[in-house]
Amino acid sequence: MSSSPETTATVQHFHDTFEKLRAEIAKFMVGQRDVIENVLISVMCGGHVLLEGVPGLGKTALVNTLAKALHLKFQRIQFTPDLLPADIVGTQILVDRDGRKVFEFQQGPVFCNVLLADEINRATPKTQSALLETMQEKRVTVAGTTHTLDSPFFVLATQNPIEQDGTYPLPEAQLDRFFFKLFVPVPSHDDFHEILNRTGGSHVPQINAVASGEDILKMGQIVREVPLDTSIQDYLVKIVRATHPTDVNATERVKKYVRHGSSPRGAQTILAAARVLALLDGRYHVAREDIAKAALPALRHRVLLSFEGEAEGVKTDAVIADVIEKVKA
């Protein structure tokens, strides 16, 4: 990507559209600036997001508001232990057509643009895998017939970190399909006041569509055109490889507390997110600070702690931060 007038205009349009989306979502969502930014980055890159936080922090409201701001079809699935794969992807039903009984495919809620998978860890592994296969393939096969989902298609899944009874933790291979894992924090004192002011009155903020699905697809194409210098790519590869205990750049904390490091998909995620961060900063190239900033949400669910690390309460974020500091040095 050269720094031509056309390129400058393209990058400016990308930045303006991103900021319009952020501002529209902020009409309803109080605070949570980093969470909103990272969700939008994932959307621009065509990725799915895993949101973790206690109930009542606005995870569902964030997804719903995002769908309205993008003028996209929104569906919500409340995951429970008795939910079946057919309840998600759809099933064949017997209908009467001109006096004949025929099977017809009835679409499930997964046929949308923005899908909220609420408390995804409450469903059984069989049901989880039905959704996660759809996330990866962007299509559904029922009774030997393949049905393609609409584009764009994003899954934003939530899970509660407190309640563990009656839950089925996502396996490592399925966690890897999420672009980012984001923690939704408890609002600050001032944000609490603002939440009560916005939701306790008679007027609810009106969310308008400021971009379309087509805009998102075009922005995704712009992201892929941002160039990456060889030295920056080497820096990225070193960070991801250093999350493995056997790597030469692994920190003492990684060697002691990490069971498995990140997959190559983690590196792909960091690269895509770093390109968006560069565009948001008005640059036509990826810098080291973009890589470092994207690494935490991209790797925290891809670096698996050992039993010793979990027993000692080691935080994956702290392990990744150590790795970034060592590689930077």
Side-chain angles (χ1 to χ4, degrees):
M1 183 186 290
S2 62
S3 55
S4 63
E6 292 81 6
T7 298
T8 303
T10 299
V11 174
Q12 188 61 46
H13 177 71
F14 183 99
H15 181 276
D16 292 345
T17 304
F18 192 99
E19 290 303 325
K20 278 193 282 186
L21 282 167
R22 193 202 315 249
E24 199 66 24
I25 294 172
K27 279 186 185 178
F28 188 82
M29 296 297 300
V30 179
Q32 312 290 13
R33 182 178 174 85
D34 288 344
V35 174
I36 293 172
E37 178 177 284
N38 282 323
V39 167
L40 287 175
I41 288 173
S42 302
V43 167
M44 300 303 166
C45 298
H48 312 290
V49 181
L50 181 61
L51 296 164
E52 185 172 296
V54 298
L57 294 181
K59 300 184 293 294
T60 303
L62 169 60
V63 182
N64 196 4
T65 306
L66 171 67
K68 290 179 180 177
L70 286 171
H71 193 58
L72 295 175
K73 183 180 179 182
F74 168 71
Q75 295 275 24
R76 177 179 181 270
I77 303 175
Q78 180 65 52
F79 279 71
T80 55
D82 60 347
L83 194 72
L84 299 174
D87 297 327
I88 295 175
V89 300
T91 187
Q92 296 283 96
I93 60 172
L94 193 62
V95 297
D96 194 320
R97 288 279 181 265
D98 300 325
R100 294 185 305 113
K101 298 293 185 181
V102 295
F103 280 102
E104 190 174 276
F105 178 64
Q106 184 178 50
Q107 295 182 349
V110 77
F111 285 85
C112 63
N113 299 114
V114 181
L115 178 67
L116 172 61
D118 219 352
E119 295 192 289
I120 190 174
N121 56 334
R122 288 203 173 278
T124 60
K126 184 176 182 180
T127 304
Q128 288 177 1
S129 64
L131 173 64
L132 294 164
E133 180 182 4
T134 304
M135 291 165 54
Q136 182 69 19
E137 306 298 334
K138 305 290 178 74
R139 60 177 182 262
V140 170
T141 301
V142 177
T145 303
T146 299
H147 307 270
T148 303
L149 301 179
D150 293 335
S151 187
F153 173 69
F154 313 105
V155 173
L156 289 94
T158 71
Q159 61 181 16
N160 181 354
I162 298 176
E163 295 183 67
Q164 299 303 322
D165 292 339
T167 62
Y168 302 85
L170 293 169
E172 290 81 359
Q174 296 183 352
L175 277 173
D176 196 37
R177 298 181 189 184
F178 285 97
F179 189 88
F180 275 172
K181 179 181 180 182
L182 306 176
F183 295 127
V184 183
V186 175
S188 66
H189 182 87
D190 291 340
D191 286 344
F192 258 105
H193 277 292
E194 184 60 26
I195 289 170
L196 294 178
N197 292 337
R198 291 191 192 182
T199 59
S202 57
H203 298 288
V204 178
Q206 183 68 34
I207 306 300
N208 302 309
V210 294
S212 64
E214 187 177 348
D215 291 328
I216 295 301
L217 295 175
K218 288 180 180 177
M219 292 172 80
Q221 184 59 45
I222 294 170
V223 169
R224 287 185 285 273
E225 293 174 0
V226 177
L228 179 69
D229 187 78
T230 305
S231 63
I232 303 299
Q233 181 167 305
D234 187 61
Y235 176 66
L236 163 58
V237 171
K238 283 181 178 178
I239 287 177
V240 175
R241 283 184 53 82
T243 62
H244 293 263
T246 56
D247 189 72
V248 65
N249 288 319
T251 63
E252 289 304 315
R253 193 176 284 189
V254 168
K255 293 175 182 177
K256 185 176 181 181
Y257 296 123
V258 173
R259 178 161 48 99
H260 293 298
S262 171
S263 67
R265 192 177 288 162
Q268 293 169 335
T269 298
I270 294 173
L271 173 56
R275 282 172 160 161
V276 176
L277 290 169
L279 290 170
L280 293 180
D281 199 36
R283 287 180 281 107
Y284 315 132
H285 62 277
V286 177
R288 288 187 173 220
E289 54 264 30
D290 301 322
I291 300 293
K293 185 175 181 180
L296 206 57
L299 297 181
R300 61 165 56 111
H301 55 299
R302 294 182 167 99
V303 174
L304 308 178
L305 298 178
S306 63
F307 175 78
E308 185 178 3
E310 293 179 354
E312 294 192 23
V314 174
K315 299 297 183 183
T316 309
D317 284 16
V319 173
I320 298 169
D322 275 0
V323 167
I324 294 171
E325 284 302 315
K326 180 172 183 180
V327 174
K328 185 188 299 183

